[in-house]
Amino acid sequence: MIEVRNIHKTFGENHVLKGISTLFEPGKTNLIIGQSGSGKTVFLKSLLGLHQPDEGEILYSNRVYSEMSEDLKRNLRQEMGMVFQGSALFDSMTVVENVMFPLKMFSSMSESEMKDRADLVLKRVNLKDAHHRLPAEISGGMQKRVAIARAIVNKPKYLFCDEPNSGLDPKTAIVIDNLIHEITVEYDITTVINTHDMNSVMEIGEKIVFLKDGHKAWEGSNKEIFKTDNEAVTNFVYSSELFKKVRQMYLEERN
Amino acid sequence: MLKEVFRKPTKWPIMKTLILKDIDDLIYGSLGIIIFISFFIGGVVAIQTALNIDSPLIPKYLVGFTTRQSVILEFAPTFCSIIMAGKVGSYITSSIGTMRVTEQIDALEVMGVNSLNYLVFPKIIALLLYPFVIAISMYLGILGGWLAAVMGEYTTSADFIKGLQLDFKPFHVLYAFAKTMAFAFILATIPSFYGYYMKGGALEVGKASTTSFVWTSVVIIIVNYLLTQMLLG
């Protein structure tokens, strides 16, 4: 569980996060949405500990981040997995070496135990025949699967994903969304996804936090987002004709 | 940056692999160009010296003496380090810079890895072997000078060897290796700094490599001057 209490972040004159509070529960896919420049990336980086908020607190399973020593912070990061927008795979390592990397760095497993664990998670993300290929030799969708495998190999408590669907075709994007959702439920992870993808919002958004100009403008689930009258949310989520029709159909069905 | 490089070290088995890889990339991978340049520059130094001392009053063994002094004191440690700033320095900046641009460094940090230690420390250790490269450069520079001088009939082999042995001061070799160690540290750290702290995309990686080469060269030249003044002045 991650609890965010009234965090503020300023860069020079630019007040990016303006008092955001929310709660991300384990076993749920939590989505952060909002327009470009709304503060999503700064918010996610604050959750990752890459930015220190100027005010407010972030609590990881009731542990206050700002009160931790540097060593405890590094240890906390070992409980986190991150799927980057561009996958951020180590390009000099093969797929299996990438997945084994967190284990090599932090576990006391033997080489064979690490290989078994890597095989298991690669199988879990449906990648079976790419173990010895380099990241440059596999497709974008496969790279995302490897990134997910690397993020979960060390059994993290918290999983963060930055635009996990960017650059993927719609079919692969849905597969990646479902995979993240399944893993979240299966391993009871607190997952936070930063996304622009409205398909993701509709498919897996069990909790959605909508940011606007650094404020939390709305929060709720993918079911509630159909019903909301919040103008900022409806202008953003239903900006395309397709989603306008989807919402209309949903509301007509309910009536 | 340097404080963080030496803080919270990476596990030894992983660090050992990284150091061996960097020895392969930075040291072994540079031998070809250093061997080639040293051999021919040594030859050119010998020929130039011979052509400029054609007076019968100046003994021919000075060709060997001048070649030895030029190669050991300046060419091998300083000139080779400038070449290495281009080859190794650019490689370090662009490889670390690309990791920055593609978020691989963020990935290391998020995992709780001390990315500066992971990326920069092995390079500093690998470049501790840099004096061996310079020793090879000294040997081949003098060999190239001897071959050029003898085969071009600028002097005899005996005269050249006499010049090589003339007024030999072992401290000059020590001075050359002291400079080399300082240059090795500069070659590992300045390009790493420019790669690690770069911002932007692919274009900026190229710009960072160029800036890194310029500043590494400038610092090498200044440190060379200061060390020469301190040790020989």
Side-chain angles (χ1 to χ4, degrees):
Chain A
M1 183 175 68
I2 303 173
E3 191 181 348
V4 182
R5 289 182 188 162
N6 191 35
I7 63 164
H8 289 257
K9 182 70 188 171
T10 304
F11 295 98
E13 301 281 293
N14 192 8
H15 196 167
V16 182
L17 301 180
K18 300 166 184 166
I20 297 174
S21 299
T22 192
L23 185 73
F24 297 120
E25 291 174 273
K28 279 188 179 178
T29 40
N30 302 279
L31 269 57
I32 307 166
I33 61 169
Q35 286 181 321
S36 301
S38 59
K40 297 192 304 293
T41 303
V42 176
F43 186 46
L44 191 73
K45 286 193 170 178
S46 301
L47 295 178
L48 281 161
L50 295 177
H51 289 321
Q52 185 64 44
D54 303 324
E55 270 182 59
E57 297 290 358
I58 302 175
L59 290 81
Y60 300 86
S61 308
N62 298 318
R63 293 167 293 174
V64 182
Y65 186 79
S66 62
E67 290 173 6
M68 290 179 182
S69 66
E70 280 305 312
D71 285 340
L72 281 177
K73 283 176 183 171
R74 282 201 190 277
N75 290 342
L76 173 70
R77 283 184 183 167
Q78 288 163 32
E79 296 175 13
M80 296 176 176
M82 172 75 188
V83 179
F84 285 86
Q85 188 172 358
S87 300
L89 299 177
F90 302 121
D91 43 23
S92 59
M93 297 181 195
T94 61
V95 163
V96 74
E97 285 168 348
N98 262 286
V99 176
M100 282 165 63
F101 183 81
L103 299 174
K104 280 189 174 173
M105 292 303 284
F106 302 114
S107 79
S108 49
M109 288 180 179
S110 67
E111 188 76 12
S112 65
E113 285 171 328
M114 282 191 264
K115 275 192 178 136
D116 288 346
R117 175 78 190 147
D119 283 344
L120 186 77
V121 289
L122 281 169
K123 209 171 160 186
R124 181 65 194 83
V125 299
N126 301 320
L127 259 185
K128 286 163 196 160
D129 305 317
H131 285 47
H132 302 292
R133 287 158 76 179
L134 291 168
E137 297 168 349
I138 57 177
S139 69
M142 288 165 92
Q143 286 181 11
K144 282 278 156 63
R145 287 169 197 264
V146 180
I148 294 169
R150 186 179 67 181
I152 62 168
V153 73
N154 223 0
K155 299 178 182 167
K157 285 184 181 171
Y158 315 102
L159 178 65
F160 300 94
C161 309
D162 187 16
E163 303 276 1
N165 295 334
S166 81
L168 299 181
D169 63 81
K171 197 176 168 188
T172 310
I174 290 169
V175 171
I176 294 295
D177 274 345
N178 289 333
L179 181 61
I180 293 171
H181 181 62
E182 286 164 21
I183 285 167
T184 300
V185 176
E186 197 175 317
Y187 299 125
D188 198 32
I189 303 171
T190 305
T191 298
V192 182
I193 304 172
N194 192 351
T195 188
H196 275 118
D197 189 346
M198 287 309 120
N199 277 323
S200 306
V201 171
M202 303 303 175
E203 289 281 336
I204 58 165
E206 289 172 293
K207 170 156 184 178
I208 301 157
V209 175
F210 176 72
L211 299 187
K212 188 167 188 285
D213 301 327
H215 292 285
K216 184 181 78 180
W218 182 85
E219 70 178 5
S221 70
N222 52 359
K223 298 205 169 48
E224 290 162 335
I225 210 164
F226 281 114
K227 296 180 273 181
T228 183
D229 293 326
N230 184 310
E231 202 179 332
V233 177
T234 51
N235 283 345
F236 177 73
V237 177
Y238 304 110
S239 53
S240 81
E241 287 303 316
L242 177 67
F243 282 109
K244 271 181 197 159
K245 279 181 186 158
V246 171
R247 187 188 190 213
Q248 203 178 347
M249 283 165 66
Y250 176 84
L251 293 174
E252 280 170 7
E253 223 171 73
R254 274 177 54 89
N255 293 332
Chain B
M1 177 181 118
L2 281 177
K3 192 179 148 199
E4 202 60 25
V5 168
F6 294 100
R7 221 178 68 83
K8 197 170 186 292
T10 306
K11 273 182 178 178
W12 173 242
I14 295 167
M15 185 51 78
K16 190 176 78 181
T17 313
L18 293 171
I19 291 170
L20 290 175
K21 186 183 175 299
D22 278 336
I23 288 172
D24 187 41
D25 289 339
L26 307 179
I27 301 292
Y28 187 69
S30 305
L31 283 178
I33 185 83
I34 293 293
I35 287 170
F36 178 79
I37 289 175
S38 302
F39 187 78
F40 283 97
I41 292 285
V44 169
V45 168
I47 293 169
Q48 292 277 21
T49 310
L51 291 176
N52 283 286
I53 55 163
D54 57 354
S55 162
L57 297 173
I58 303 173
K60 287 289 180 192
Y61 60 72
L62 269 187
V63 176
F65 175 80
T66 310
T67 304
R68 183 198 78 202
Q69 290 298 85
S70 306
V71 167
I72 289 178
L73 291 176
E74 284 309 318
F75 169 73
T78 311
F79 192 69
C80 284
S81 294
I82 301 288
I83 294 163
M84 289 288 272
K87 191 194 176 291
V88 167
S90 298
Y91 168 77
I92 291 173
T93 305
S94 57
S95 59
I96 296 180
T98 303
M99 288 186 76
R100 169 65 73 197
V101 169
T102 55
E103 297 179 307
Q104 292 175 51
I105 293 178
D106 287 341
L108 287 170
E109 284 293 318
V110 168
M111 285 178 206
V113 177
N114 178 355
S115 58
L116 273 168
N117 176 267
Y118 182 84
L119 294 171
V120 183
F121 185 75
K123 290 173 177 53
I124 293 174
I125 300 300
L127 280 166
L128 289 176
L129 294 180
Y130 185 49
F132 289 101
V133 177
I134 297 307
I136 290 168
S137 169
M138 287 173 180
Y139 174 76
L140 287 171
I142 291 169
L143 181 70
W146 174 74
L147 274 174
V150 173
M151 290 176 79
E153 296 181 350
Y154 296 104
T155 181
T156 62
S157 178
D159 272 348
F160 191 91
I161 291 166
K162 185 183 174 189
L164 283 184
Q165 293 168 338
L166 181 73
D167 195 23
F168 177 71
K169 290 178 180 145
F171 179 72
H172 284 177
V173 178
L174 192 68
Y175 152 80
F177 283 122
K179 287 205 301 191
T180 302
M181 288 306 292
F183 298 158
F185 187 73
I186 292 165
L187 283 169
T189 50
I190 292 182
S192 297
F193 173 85
Y194 278 99
Y196 191 86
Y197 291 105
M198 67 149 294
K199 286 186 175 125
L203 185 65
E204 281 74 17
V205 174
K207 284 181 184 169
S209 296
T210 310
T211 315
S212 139
F213 169 67
V214 170
W215 280 107
T216 308
S217 306
V218 167
V219 174
I220 285 172
I221 297 290
I222 293 170
V223 169
N224 183 38
Y225 172 78
L226 294 173
L227 285 176
T228 304
Q229 183 64 43
M230 277 166 57
L231 298 173
L232 298 182

